[in-house]
Amino acid sequence: MKIICIGRNYVEHIEELNNERPKAPVIFIKPDSAVLPKEQDFYIPDFSNDIHYEVEVLVKIKKVGKHIAAKFAHKYYDEIGLGIDFTARDLQSELKGKGLPWEKAKGFDGAAVIGKWLPKERFSDLGNLNFSLKKNDVTVQEGNTGAMLYGIDDIIAYVSQFFTLKKGDVLFTGTPKGVGRVVANDYLSGSLENETLFTVNIK
Ligand code: ZN
């Protein structure tokens, strides 16, 4: 199983990090070892002093496909979720500055939180899903999938030109504005359409 992530998919988040608006989706991959095991606490790694949360809507791929047309993309998933793309922002900035790949900053152990999955039929419009992240019971990120530069079906069409999608692969669709730091003893909880799909304790 692989995790394919989209960067810079919400304009206000692009602005908060002073990034350029992309002409095509920005893609990166996390290895399967990045998945934080269910019910496990997140331990801040000793190579970073600036771990950021990024709440993101997730899509689970249900069958193999490549060169998928956007109009058929809906046939390749039937579950929607919510997760966190943990990012070592200090390390990422250093690597970006040198023009090097981000993997160490995004693909480390525990850097992918994957919450509970919900059937997509639960939602009448996947292009209008509200989601949010709370830190210590205070809302820090709020988003709506309608604000994505590239929607789910467009992401699948684009990504599948480069990577064969396989059953069980997970797409992280990008984060809205409001990313920020976590420190030990923080507590995060993420909700999609008012249903809590994950909670994480930071250690
Ligand atoms: Zn992200």
Side-chain angles (χ1 to χ4, degrees):
M1 165 275 201
K2 61 185 172 294
I3 299 167
I4 301 172
C5 306
I6 304 301
R8 305 180 192 174
N9 205 20
Y10 288 84
V11 172
E12 290 173 329
H13 172 62
I14 295 170
E15 289 168 354
E16 75 180 345
L17 292 186
N18 291 314
N19 282 320
E20 261 177 57
R21 191 171 168 147
K23 293 184 182 69
V26 173
I27 301 174
F28 57 93
I29 287 189
K30 292 179 190 261
D32 57 4
S33 49
V35 177
L36 185 69
K38 290 257 181 284
E39 313 297 327
Q40 198 161 301
D41 297 332
F42 175 84
Y43 283 81
I44 293 178
D46 55 14
F47 53 76
S48 176
N49 291 312
D50 196 21
I51 296 288
H52 277 199
Y53 51 77
E54 296 188 354
V55 70
E56 311 200 1
V57 170
L58 312 184
V59 179
K60 193 199 279 181
I61 299 298
K62 71 166 180 177
K63 61 177 181 177
V64 71
K66 84 185 275 179
H67 296 299
I68 300 164
K71 66 178 173 180
F72 298 124
H74 65 97
K75 295 172 187 268
Y76 289 82
Y77 61 95
D78 48 23
E79 288 177 285
I80 300 293
L82 196 71
I84 296 182
D85 165 19
F86 274 122
T87 303
R89 194 71 72 201
D90 43 0
L91 192 51
Q92 187 196 27
S93 299
E94 187 188 321
L95 293 166
K96 266 165 73 176
K98 293 178 182 166
L100 294 171
W102 294 340
E103 266 70 7
K104 286 191 290 183
K106 292 274 199 181
F108 59 86
D109 289 358
V113 174
I114 296 177
K116 184 180 149 188
W117 293 101
L118 299 174
K120 72 177 179 191
E121 289 74 30
R122 275 270 290 272
F123 309 108
S124 57
D125 182 3
L126 297 180
N128 183 18
L129 297 177
N130 293 299
F131 60 101
S132 64
L133 182 74
K134 286 183 178 172
K135 183 173 91 169
N136 307 327
D137 293 322
V138 176
T139 300
V140 287
Q141 283 190 280
E142 274 182 304
N144 182 287
T145 52
M148 298 197 296
L149 290 175
Y150 300 97
I152 293 170
D153 292 352
D154 292 331
I155 292 170
I156 288 173
Y158 186 78
V159 162
S160 68
Q161 294 177 55
F162 301 91
F163 306 109
T164 296
L165 296 180
K166 293 184 173 178
K167 182 179 163 118
D169 287 350
V170 174
L171 304 179
F172 276 61
T173 62
T175 197
K177 71 172 176 182
V179 301
R181 188 176 179 214
V182 287
V183 295
N185 300 317
D186 281 342
Y187 168 78
L188 301 175
S189 68
S191 303
L192 179 65
E193 291 289 318
N194 296 318
E195 181 170 348
T196 301
L197 298 188
F198 67 78
T199 59
V200 191
N201 294 305
I202 309 297
K203 299 281 178 165

